[in-house]
Amino acid sequence: MLCKTMPERRVVRYGPKVEYGCVTGALSNPSRNPRPLPQGETLSAEDHRRLIGVLESVDRAADLPEFRERLVRALQSWFGFTGVAVLHGDTLADAIREGCGVQGGYTPEFLAEYAARWAGADPLRETWAAELISGRGVVGLAEIAPDAPFLSEFLRPNGINDKAAMVVDGGPAGVLFIGMAVVDAPRVPDRDLAVLHALRRHLAPLVVDQLDRDRDRRAALSNWQLTPREWEVADLAAQGLTNRQIAERLFIGVDTVKKHLTRALAATSCASRTQLALRFAAA
């Protein structure tokens, strides 16, 4: 049987000519050659992954209180920092002195001793220290106040060798202050300082957004006439925290919490914590 010859088919090519997997004609340099990672940097690739972990932990926070809580937990879990405080205010001095914010990892006894005897001796509460932190962004307490009795007579006997301090300036929205205890080194390690400098840069837009929204929220409820500290107490009470838990979070005594809460209930025309929670939820 004779085979019938089929007519030759014409193949039309579209796009660049392909020769053994090498693309020509479209790219000036088709080879994929990422540059090598820098050698000798303070932060390792693992540290950068941990930084991403912190950012991923806080970037979806619904409001400033949730953002603060998530940031404390993220710094503890991703970097192993033990005592962490996240404070905020209109200025750095306000944030540190008023202590509006949350903390984690400190014992009630330590906080009580701090409030009763050492708050006034804390160098970070001084104007000169606030100016220094604002200028540098990140500092170590032992670096700026190596001879402070607060360090030698209070922190170190309680197992804290140094403290790291970081500020994120949100401009008109306010500032966020982060303080961390150092227990496993005589002073803040260079690696931790590098971590905080990098974190500060990446946190800035998230912090500005949270501070802006929190300020707008308070402005909408300005008829309540609450002080920043009364806001803090009322907010935590509305979340279901007990007076003692609020005191531990805010570095104040239980009696002080009761006083602020009584004032907040009166200012918001609420008869109970449940009603206060409903008012905050509606806000």
Side-chain angles (χ1 to χ4, degrees):
M1 182 176 180
L2 296 176
C3 294
K4 197 171 183 180
T5 303
M6 300 294 293
E8 182 180 354
R9 295 181 64 187
R10 183 179 180 185
V11 178
V12 179
R13 295 182 180 275
Y14 296 94
K17 181 181 178 182
V18 179
E19 296 180 358
Y20 302 105
C22 180
V23 180
T24 62
L27 303 175
S28 60
N29 182 8
S31 300
R32 182 173 178 175
N33 296 311
R35 72 178 188 181
L37 293 176
Q39 299 296 314
E41 288 195 336
T42 306
L43 295 183
S44 66
E46 178 182 332
D47 289 326
H48 285 287
R49 177 62 186 92
R50 293 182 183 280
L51 282 170
I52 293 173
V54 173
L55 297 172
E56 290 176 338
S57 298
V58 303
D59 67 346
R60 295 182 183 276
D63 53 27
L64 183 59
E66 183 181 351
F67 180 86
R68 298 177 319 203
E69 294 279 353
R70 288 189 176 200
L71 184 55
V72 168
R73 292 197 299 269
L75 289 170
Q76 290 175 325
S77 62
W78 280 103
F79 284 101
F81 294 120
T82 50
V84 180
V86 177
L87 312 175
H88 59 89
D90 291 336
T91 66
L92 178 57
D94 290 339
I96 296 175
R97 291 172 187 165
E98 296 299 325
C100 291
V102 295
Q103 62 80 30
Y106 296 102
T107 65
E109 295 77 15
F110 175 83
L111 296 178
E113 185 179 359
Y114 174 84
R117 296 183 53 197
W118 291 99
D122 187 346
L124 296 178
R125 297 167 67 97
E126 299 290 336
T127 301
W128 64 267
E131 293 174 352
L132 191 60
I133 300 170
S134 295
R136 296 189 187 180
V138 178
V139 302
L141 179 59
E143 174 194 3
I144 65 173
D147 301 319
F150 178 79
L151 191 60
S152 59
E153 299 177 20
F154 176 55
L155 291 185
R156 286 175 179 158
N158 280 286
I160 299 175
N161 297 322
D162 198 2
K163 286 189 72 174
M166 179 184 91
V167 63
V168 180
D169 190 347
V175 301
L176 189 82
F177 170 86
I178 302 173
M180 283 160 294
V182 174
V183 299
D184 54 357
R187 55 194 305 146
V188 184
D190 291 342
R191 176 258 192 179
D192 288 356
L193 292 173
V195 164
L196 294 179
H197 276 293
L199 183 63
R200 178 173 178 262
R201 293 193 300 271
H202 294 301
L203 273 180
L206 299 176
V207 168
V208 171
D209 177 63
Q210 289 291 349
L211 291 174
D212 269 334
R213 287 195 283 144
D214 188 68
R215 173 166 287 194
D216 291 343
R217 177 177 174 237
R218 296 191 186 200
L221 300 172
S222 59
N223 59 313
W224 284 2
Q225 298 297 316
L226 297 176
T227 67
R229 175 59 83 196
E230 290 166 352
W231 263 101
E232 292 288 332
V233 171
D235 197 4
L236 293 174
Q239 295 177 42
L241 274 68
T242 66
N243 288 348
R244 181 162 296 281
Q245 288 172 329
I246 295 172
E248 292 172 1
R249 293 282 185 90
L250 302 182
F251 305 92
I252 57 179
V254 175
D255 289 340
T256 304
V257 171
K258 293 178 181 178
K259 180 182 69 174
H260 288 317
L261 185 56
T262 299
R263 171 75 180 84
L265 290 171
T268 57
S269 301
C270 293
S272 66
R273 287 171 180 255
T274 301
Q275 191 175 1
L276 183 67
L278 292 174
R279 291 291 299 274
F280 264 76

